[in-house]
Amino acid sequence: MADQEQADIRLMVARLRQEHEDYDAAINAMIEVGCEALRIQRMKKKKLGIKDKLSKLEDQIIPDIIA
């Protein structure tokens, strides 16, 4: 993998981590305020989608080593 390509992936990973943390904070705030459960569940689903994207990108950066 080229250095530039790997740097781009690392940048996307950093952005997605920040977005994941933002969703986490928003969900916690919604729970404290007593927001409806359906809205909270939708936010959690979006947060999970971000985590899946993060995992895929991290797998591209860190190769699987079979011993």
Side-chain angles (χ1 to χ4, degrees), residues 15-66:
R15 287 180 182 161
L16 285 173
R17 280 188 181 144
Q18 182 61 49
E19 191 175 350
H20 188 267
E21 290 176 13
D22 291 345
Y23 269 102
D24 194 37
I27 290 168
N28 289 335
M30 290 171 72
I31 291 171
E32 286 180 20
V33 171
C35 197
E36 61 187 66
L38 184 59
R39 290 183 69 191
I40 294 171
Q41 190 171 355
R42 286 180 184 155
M43 292 286 281
K44 286 182 178 181
K45 189 172 183 177
K46 288 180 184 180
K47 181 181 160 189
L48 184 60
I50 292 170
K51 184 158 180 119
D52 289 343
K53 288 178 188 177
L54 262 172
S55 295
K56 288 177 185 177
L57 288 174
E58 287 172 342
D59 287 345
Q60 289 179 3
I61 295 172
I62 304 168
D64 290 337
I65 299 173
I66 300 174

